């Protein structure tokens, strides 16, 4: 068994194409060289490393599956591997990329007008413009059909009122994809920074995703022209389809965080001597490490097959729910386990498991809570919605 | 100006190397390979020269290695090389850098247009013999400067000034092009190949040459062979001496005299 950088117990590497492997290795190197050296300090001081944004854009990490607009045109497995590697660095960094690609560029590309695409996509691929996605509201996120944000038609314009909460990149975004209820149901709008009545405020005192900007958005009679509406986004299905994209990436990300924690725990067990011999010699520790590899391996295979289904156009959103649930859960459990194995030192931000553990508390909640995903799978197999 | 950059497909230094049980070499199963980091400086330098100067007409990356070594060429193409040459044939496989260089030399001499600048790393991280650059320069009858830390080329593209660190001083070497330079760490910082460029690299021309096109390779023979490979001896356990300074000094002397028996 090669003791490679990643646990690859089932030689999953051999199931990847050269393209996919090369994309992964390129992003892995970026994460090792640029993210890992600074991320603990960012987390500790609640700072989003904006200096990484131009470099990530230069690498082509935003909208990488799009075929044009200066994007790489990668397949979905390669996209997943990018998310895995970014989250091996930090969930906050991965969240930023997920939002820019899956929650902003994707809806503009899928539901936008040609004019909207031409205006925003090239700029967003180069990260000259940053985006955010406003669906969740202060009163909750699991039942978006009851959203209170309203858009009313006044003449040829729309007037937007309401608020959104827990919005990644909210205050640094140049444009927000805002979902609002209209008399015809849910519609999506591109709301630009600086629009009169549009304000944002960062949410402080987070113990999770500290290397990421999380904000509230407020809309007080914001006037928008019809041209800022996403013309083909009709109904709740549109924002949910965006979430399917982002959740797909998160399913890979959970594995990335788990791999980082496993590796640190393994290294620690090799070096830490207790009662006369290294911890790896103890049955108890071997079982715990073996169990991490078991869970990571199942998560890797799940994510890969999900990606292959997505590339064949056969992926169902309930499969994404199962993968997001399984892989974030395994990430969180392994992070907690690794934190414990590391002993007292494991509570320091110098060790990655505690940071991943705290981050994954958000990841398991956002983009559909674990419970919602369980119930989505439950509805799929029973035919009964039990929300 | 035409630039040739030699790149080698080598095991990733971050991955532990295992020796085969029979000692005939290293176990390559599941081993991760990368572009040699020193050769990568050469590619970056070539691309930077093109960005700074208007006269770089072509950058060609060349590798010798198994089929998978094409991945390393693709990194070079994604970084900015225009085309690539892959020398791939089982009879090219050797641990002898002199032989390795002789095969490359044959391929280079067969190119229709000569190169003004040939770049490679000051050594490769796999064999670490540092012979490829000097040997290739010798075979190609080119001037050679090793372990270059700074390079200037005159605006007319005919002469260069290269700096290299030597014990306690810096050597400044001036010469005429064409020349072969091997690159030391620190001269340039390699860029990450962007994902769009990695995809575009697939469309750039890549020529594969075998012993059919390079018949001379069969007549050169590797002059050195690796007899056997052994893993490094395990690191001996470290002994810590604890206590007050005076006590520790006393214990150290006792240890050196009675146990290590060096006093």
């Amino acid at each position: 068994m090669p003791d490679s950088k990643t646990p690859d117990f089932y030689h999953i590497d051999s199931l990847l194409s050269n393209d996919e492997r090369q994309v992964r290795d390129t992003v892995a190197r970026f994460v090792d060289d640029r993210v890992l050296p600074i991320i603990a300090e960012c987390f500790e001081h609640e700072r989003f490393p904006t200096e990484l944004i131009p470099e990530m854009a230069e690498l082509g990490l935003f909208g990488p599956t799009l075929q044009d607009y200066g994007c790489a045109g990668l397949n979905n497995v390669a996209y997943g591997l990018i998310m895995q590697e970014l989250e091996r660095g930090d969930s906050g960094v991965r969240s930023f990329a997920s939002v820019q690609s899956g929650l902003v560029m994707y809806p503009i590309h899928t539901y936008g007008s040609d004019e909207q695409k031409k205006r925003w996509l090239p700029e967003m691929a180069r990260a000259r413009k940053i985006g955010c996605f406003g669906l969740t509201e202060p009163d909750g996120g699991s039942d978006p059909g009851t959203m209170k944000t309203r858009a009313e038609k006044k003449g040829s314009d729309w007037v937007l009122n309401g608020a959104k909460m827990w919005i990644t990149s909210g205050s640094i975004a140049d444009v927000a994809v805002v979902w609002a209820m209209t008399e015809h149901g849910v519609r999506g709008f591109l709301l630009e920074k600086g629009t009169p009545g549009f304000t944002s405020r960062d949410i402080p005192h987070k113990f999770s995703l500290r290397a990421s900007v999380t904000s509230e958005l407020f809309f007080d009679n914001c006037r928008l022209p019809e041209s800022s509406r996403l013309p083909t986004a009709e109904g709740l299905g549109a924002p949910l389809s965006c979430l399917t994209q982002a959740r797909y990436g998160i399913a890979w990300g959970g594995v990335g965080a788990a791999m980082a924690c496993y590796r640190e725990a393994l290294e620690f067990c090799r070096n830490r001597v207790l009662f006369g011999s290294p911890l790896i010699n103890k049955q108890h520790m071997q079982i715990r490490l073996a169990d991490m590899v078991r869970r990571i391996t199942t998560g890797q295979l799940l994510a890969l097959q999900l990606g292959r289904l997505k590339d064949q156009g056969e992926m169902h959103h309930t499969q994404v729910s199962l993968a997001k649930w399984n892989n974030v859960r395994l990430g969180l459990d392994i992070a907690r386990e690794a934190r414990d194995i590391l002993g007292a030192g494991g509570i320091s931000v110098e060790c990655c498991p505690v940071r991943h553990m705290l981050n994954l508390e958000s990841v398991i909640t956002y983009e559909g809570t674990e419970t919602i995903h369980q119930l989505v799978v439950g509805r799929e197999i029973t035919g009964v919605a039990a929300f | 100006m035409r630039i040739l950059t030699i790149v080698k497909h080598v095991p990733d230094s971050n991955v532990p190397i295992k020796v085969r049980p029979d000692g005939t070499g290293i176990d390559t199963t599941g081993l991760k390979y990368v572009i040699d980091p020193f050769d990568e400086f050469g590619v970056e330098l070539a691309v930077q020269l093109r960005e700074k100067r208007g006269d770089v007409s072509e950058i060609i990356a060349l590798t010798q290695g198994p089929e998978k070594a094409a991945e390393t060429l693709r990194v070079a193409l994604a970084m900015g090389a225009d085309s690539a040459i892959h020398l791939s044939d089982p009879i090219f496989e050797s641990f002898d850098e002199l032989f390795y260089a002789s095969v490359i030399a044959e391929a280079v001499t067969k190119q229709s247009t000569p190169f003004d600048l040939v770049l490679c790393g000051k050594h490769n991280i796999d064999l670490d013999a540092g012979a490829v650059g000097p040997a290739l320069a010798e075979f190609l009858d080119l001037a050679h400067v090793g372990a270059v830390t700074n390079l200037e080329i005159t605006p007319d593209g005919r002469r260069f000034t290269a700096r290299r660190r030597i014990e306690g001083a810096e050597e400044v070497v001036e010469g005429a092009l064409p020349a072969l330079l091997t690159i030391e760490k620190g001269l340039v910082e390699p860029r990450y190949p962007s994902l769009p460029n990695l995809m575009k690299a697939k469309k750039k021309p890549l020529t594969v040459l075998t012993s059919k096109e390079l018949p001379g390779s069969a007549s050169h023979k590797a002059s050195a062979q690796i007899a056997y490979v052994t893993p490094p001896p395990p690191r001996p356990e470290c002994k810590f001496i604890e206590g007050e300074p005076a006590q520790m000094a006393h214990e150290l002397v006792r240890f050196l005299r009675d146990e290590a028996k060096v006093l």
Side-chain angles (χ1 to χ4, degrees):
Chain A
M1 179 57 49
D3 188 9
S4 60
K5 288 188 73 180
T6 50
D8 184 14
F9 204 74
Y10 264 45
H11 295 201
I12 296 163
D13 197 63
S14 67
L15 300 176
L16 302 177
S17 70
N18 280 347
D19 283 2
E20 290 158 359
R21 224 174 287 130
Q22 220 151 15
V23 166
R24 180 200 57 197
D25 292 348
T26 303
V27 181
R29 189 169 159 189
F30 168 76
V31 170
D32 289 341
D33 293 352
R34 310 290 299 142
V35 179
L36 293 182
I38 61 164
I39 200 64
E41 176 267 323
C42 290
F43 187 91
E44 183 175 0
H45 297 110
E46 206 167 354
R47 180 177 82 80
F48 174 58
T50 45
E51 68 271 27
L52 295 180
I53 299 175
E55 295 178 49
M56 292 167 78
E58 191 67 34
L59 254 179
L61 298 185
F62 303 127
T65 55
L66 303 184
Q67 286 291 350
D68 27 31
Y69 307 104
C71 301
L74 304 177
N75 70 7
N76 287 291
V77 170
Y79 174 77
L81 290 162
I82 295 174
M83 295 297 136
Q84 173 190 297
E85 288 307 313
L86 290 179
E87 194 136 9
R88 186 171 62 74
D90 189 81
S91 302
V93 176
R94 198 271 305 137
S95 295
F96 178 81
S98 276
V99 169
Q100 182 85 348
S101 301
L103 294 181
V104 184
M105 294 177 76
Y106 171 81
I108 293 174
H109 190 258
T110 308
Y111 303 112
S113 63
D114 281 346
E115 193 196 331
Q116 289 167 340
K117 290 184 212 180
K118 275 185 210 143
R119 174 165 175 214
W120 292 106
L121 293 177
E123 290 289 282
M124 298 198 80
R126 288 178 196 90
R128 289 198 203 113
K129 299 287 180 198
I130 306 298
C132 70
F133 179 87
L135 179 66
T136 293
E137 300 195 342
D139 289 337
S142 293
D143 187 7
T146 60
M147 70 174 68
K148 292 184 178 145
T149 300
R150 290 271 180 283
E152 276 181 82
K153 197 90 195 227
K154 294 260 170 82
S156 62
D157 289 350
W158 291 90
V159 175
L160 192 66
N161 278 291
K164 299 287 178 183
M165 202 169 179
W166 307 115
I167 308 306
T168 298
S169 307
S171 66
I172 58 169
D174 301 288
V175 62
V177 175
V178 177
W179 301 94
M181 194 60 84
T182 70
E183 59 174 321
H184 303 295
V186 173
R187 294 291 181 271
F189 299 88
L190 299 179
L191 180 57
E192 283 183 63
K193 192 176 204 164
T195 302
F198 175 27
T199 50
S200 64
R201 183 173 65 194
D202 284 346
I203 300 173
H205 313 304
K206 290 180 297 170
F207 273 54
S208 178
L209 295 183
R210 289 173 61 83
S212 169
V213 175
T214 313
S215 319
E216 291 176 90
L217 310 179
F218 305 99
F219 321 115
D220 179 13
N221 284 311
C222 296
R223 236 184 151 81
L224 297 170
E226 169 65 15
S227 63
S228 66
R229 188 174 69 81
L230 292 169
T232 63
E234 292 185 352
L236 204 54
L240 294 183
S241 76
C242 303
L243 292 176
T244 299
Q245 303 305 311
R247 289 165 182 162
Y248 166 76
I250 294 172
W252 287 85
V255 178
M259 288 177 357
C261 296
Y262 160 75
R263 270 151 48 177
E264 189 152 336
L266 178 65
E267 196 53 30
F268 178 79
C269 290
R270 279 192 206 290
N271 296 323
R272 172 91 166 107
V273 174
L274 190 63
F275 300 114
S277 80
L279 281 179
I280 47 163
N281 295 352
K282 316 284 184 200
Q283 287 188 355
H284 170 58
M285 281 303 168
Q286 287 202 3
I287 291 168
R288 294 172 86 178
L289 292 167
D291 199 53
M292 288 187 188
V293 169
R294 172 182 67 80
R295 283 181 282 183
I296 290 170
T297 304
T298 56
Q300 286 169 326
L301 288 167
L302 201 69
L304 180 60
Q305 171 62 1
L306 187 69
R308 295 283 178 239
L309 288 171
K310 194 172 193 310
D311 280 328
Q312 291 155 16
E314 289 171 12
M315 182 184 82
H316 193 258
H317 73 86
T318 57
Q319 294 165 327
V320 182
S321 282
L322 184 93
K324 196 258 179 186
W325 159 25
N326 186 72
N327 289 7
V328 178
R329 168 52 64 186
L330 76 85
L332 180 57
D333 288 347
I334 286 174
R336 288 172 176 165
E337 187 81 1
R339 209 296 312 143
D340 182 61
I341 288 173
L342 262 52
I347 66 163
S348 166
V349 77
E350 296 297 317
C351 302
C352 81
V354 71
R355 177 168 52 80
H356 283 296
M357 179 184 106
L358 292 168
N359 280 338
L360 290 166
E361 294 290 351
S362 290
V363 180
I364 205 160
T365 300
Y366 73 18
E367 308 256 0
T369 64
E370 182 176 61
T371 314
I372 287 289
H373 289 300
Q374 289 165 332
L375 295 178
V376 164
V377 175
R379 180 183 59 188
E380 181 67 13
I381 57 182
T382 62
V384 184
F387 297 101
Chain B
M1 185 186 295
R2 294 181 85 230
I3 304 177
L4 176 70
T5 153
I6 312 293
V7 291
K8 195 170 184 192
H9 194 58
V10 295
D12 186 349
S13 59
N14 292 316
V15 181
I17 300 292
K18 280 186 191 156
V19 172
R20 275 194 223 132
D22 62 3
T24 53
I26 59 165
D27 184 1
T28 56
T29 330
L31 205 55
K32 187 170 165 246
Y33 283 76
V34 293
I35 182 170
D36 184 280
F38 285 90
D39 289 343
E40 193 179 21
F41 296 140
V43 181
E44 178 62 34
L45 175 62
V47 178
Q48 287 192 13
L49 284 172
R50 163 140 69 197
E51 286 165 355
K52 281 188 212 135
R53 307 170 58 93
D55 61 348
V56 175
S57 57
E58 197 174 14
I59 300 170
I60 298 183
L62 182 149
T63 199
Q64 182 196 313
E67 208 177 310
K68 280 208 146 197
E71 286 176 25
T72 276
L73 284 177
R74 208 164 132 202
V75 172
L77 291 169
M79 288 173 74
D82 303 298
S83 63
I85 302 170
H86 185 181
L87 314 183
S88 185
D89 197 306
I91 69 165
F92 297 163
E93 301 299 316
S94 164
F95 288 114
D96 181 6
E97 288 201 344
L98 219 55
F99 175 69
Y100 174 83
S102 73
V103 177
I104 295 175
E106 188 185 355
V108 174
T109 29
K110 292 221 160 142
Q111 295 294 303
S112 48
T113 326
F115 293 99
D116 302 288
L117 191 57
V118 180
L119 300 172
C120 57
K122 74 158 184 178
H123 61 186
N124 291 126
I125 62 165
D126 56 351
L127 300 177
D128 208 8
V132 176
L136 186 57
E138 188 63 26
F139 288 131
L140 295 174
D141 199 19
L142 287 177
H144 158 251
V145 185
V148 172
T149 53
N150 186 287
L151 176 70
E152 279 163 41
I153 295 177
T154 52
D156 64 7
R158 298 171 77 149
R159 294 189 66 77
F160 69 88
T161 306
R163 288 163 190 269
R164 58 195 302 271
R165 281 192 292 269
I166 55 172
E167 193 67 40
E170 185 178 57
E171 203 172 65
V172 181
V173 185
E174 292 181 352
L177 294 178
L180 183 148
L181 309 178
T182 74
I183 312 300
E184 172 66 290
K185 187 177 181 171
L187 175 56
V188 284
E189 188 63 42
R191 67 197 63 198
Y192 297 99
S194 79
L195 306 184
N197 285 344
L198 268 175
M199 294 302 118
K200 284 181 204 150
K202 283 196 287 189
K203 295 185 183 125
K204 290 187 178 180
L206 191 157
T207 314
V208 180
L209 300 177
T210 65
S211 58
K212 222 190 274 172
E213 291 84 14
L214 305 172
S217 55
S219 60
H220 317 302
K221 225 178 149 184
S223 47
Q225 275 175 352
I226 289 181
Y228 57 89
V229 180
T230 55
R235 206 177 288 174
E237 210 175 309
C238 187
K239 185 175 170 67
F240 287 95
I241 297 174
E242 285 167 14
E244 292 298 313
Q247 239 180 326
M248 287 161 70
H250 189 264
E251 173 60 15
L252 179 62
V253 172
R254 189 203 60 77
F255 178 82
L256 292 173
R257 188 188 57 215
D258 298 345
E259 291 185 36
K261 299 197 191 296
V262 292
L263 291 183

